[in-house]
Structure formats: structure tokens, C-alpha cells
Amino acid sequence: MRRWPFYLAGAFALCTMAASAADNESDRLREALRAATAQSRSLEDQRAALQAKLTAAEQERDRLKKQNEAYRAQVKEAEQAYRQAVKDFNDRITERDETLEKWKSAYGEAANVARAKEAERLKLQAESTDYKARTKSCEAKNAELVKVSNDVVSKYEAMDPLEKLWDHEPLTGLKRVEHQNAAQDFRDRVLNQRVKP
């Protein structure tokens, strides 16, 4: 029985060793738990920070998406405005070209009318000059005819009654021949003053 104390001392030593080992194990596990808890908190903080960053990034993405859509709408409006401006400009150019063609046509017609009027004016001026010259010629011939008529009348008035009888003397007819020659001279002078058309 004396062995009991040894056994007991061995068991106690074993127990103390086991307790000491358990304490060491427990301390180690506590330390591991503390480290895991700290790591978990650190990871949780990182997760929260990353979640906040993700939320901020999503908000920034949504803001940029809306801004991009607004810019696209502005670009579409600008393109439509540009197309409309180009169309309006082309329409104005077409209208200007049509107006220019009308003006060219009207100018050509006016120039043709002006040339025709100028040719007609020159023709009328030439005719007027010709008529003036012919009028002067006619006036001169008319004055000569009046002179011839006055000569005939004065010659006839200057005849006394014996000359008139002598003119109609039927036997010799000398005076009649002289009278007919004078009449023929007067007729020639009148015919020389005739206006030719």
C-alpha cells in the first residue's frame, strides 16, 4: 500500500501536467480566439469599408451613367440640329440658285428687249434722219413748184387779149406751137420737182 502515495503523486503530477497543459492549451486557444476575433473585426471593418466603396462606386457609376445618357441625348440633339442646319442651308442654297437662275433669265430677257429696243431706236433714228432729209428735199421741191406755178400764172396774166387770140389763131399755129413748147417746159420743170418714194 505504500504504493498509493506514489500513484497518487504520479496521478497528481499527471493531473497538474494535464492541467498545466490544458491551461497552456486554453491560453493558446484564447490567444487564437482573440487573434481570430481581431482578424474578424479587421476583416469586418475592411468589408464595411469595401462595401462603402462599392456603394460609392455604384452611385458614381449611376451618376456617370445618367451623365452619359444626358450627353448622348445632347449629342443626338446636336446631330439633329446639325442635320437640320445643313438641310436648311442646302435649301437656302437651292432657293438662292433658283432665284439666281430666274434673275439671269429675266436679265437675259431684259437685255434682249434692250437690244431690240436699241436696234429699233437706231432704225427709227435712221428713218427720222432720212425723213428729215426727204422733208427738206420736199420743201425745196415744193418751193420750186410754187415758183414754177407763179411763173405760169404770171405769164398767163401777162398775156393781153390780142395774144390770147393770136394763140388760138388757126391758120399758121405758130403761136400755138410756142405756147405748147412753153407749157411743155413748165411741165418738165414740174416733173423734175416730183418726189420719188
Side-chain angles (χ1 to χ4, degrees):
M1 293 222 218
R2 286 189 171 192
R3 289 185 174 173
W4 271 92
F6 285 117
Y7 287 130
L8 221 105
F12 179 72
L14 267 177
C15 273
T16 35
M17 254 171 61
S20 149
D23 282 341
N24 282 340
E25 184 67 24
S26 170
D27 287 341
R28 192 180 60 79
L29 287 174
R30 274 192 202 124
E31 202 49 47
L33 181 61
R34 276 190 213 124
T37 304
Q39 190 177 10
S40 173
R41 284 185 189 148
S42 172
L43 289 173
E44 188 63 32
D45 290 343
Q46 285 179 359
R47 187 186 72 75
L50 289 175
Q51 186 65 36
K53 284 183 182 179
L54 178 63
T55 304
E58 286 175 350
Q59 289 174 348
E60 180 68 14
R61 181 198 65 197
D62 291 342
R63 185 186 69 77
L64 290 174
K65 191 175 181 180
K66 287 178 184 176
Q67 188 177 20
N68 189 19
E69 289 172 0
Y71 285 152
R72 284 184 182 188
Q74 286 178 354
V75 166
K76 277 187 178 179
E77 288 176 10
E79 284 177 352
Q80 288 175 347
Y82 173 75
R83 284 189 196 113
Q84 186 62 39
V86 167
K87 183 183 177 295
D88 292 344
F89 181 73
N90 288 338
D91 290 346
R92 282 196 305 265
I93 286 177
T94 302
E95 184 179 325
R96 181 197 55 107
D97 289 345
E98 289 172 357
T99 304
L100 185 61
E101 285 302 317
K102 287 178 186 176
W103 279 103
K104 281 182 182 178
S105 174
Y107 177 76
E109 289 175 13
N112 288 340
V113 168
R115 282 193 282 280
K117 291 291 183 184
E118 181 63 19
E120 186 177 349
R121 185 191 68 78
L122 290 173
K123 178 184 171 192
L124 291 175
Q125 186 177 8
E127 287 178 0
S128 172
T129 305
D130 185 46
Y131 287 144
K132 284 179 184 175
R134 290 171 82 188
T135 300
K136 285 183 181 178
S137 172
C138 286
E139 287 174 355
K141 289 184 179 200
N142 193 24
E144 188 62 33
L145 283 174
V146 168
K147 186 177 171 187
V148 169
S149 298
N150 286 336
D151 286 348
V152 169
V153 170
S154 63
K155 206 158 196 163
Y156 186 72
E157 286 176 348
M159 286 177 69
D160 60 14
L162 285 177
E163 281 184 310
K164 287 182 185 176
L165 279 176
W166 182 247
D167 265 350
H168 294 295
E169 173 276 311
L171 288 177
T172 60
L174 289 176
K175 237 356 188 170
R176 180 184 247 177
V177 171
E178 191 178 306
H179 178 69
Q180 285 176 349
N181 284 341
Q184 186 63 42
D185 285 344
F186 284 125
R187 184 176 288 124
D188 289 343
R189 285 176 61 192
V190 167
L191 288 176
N192 284 341
Q193 300 308 315
R194 184 176 176 191
V195 177
K196 295 173 178 83

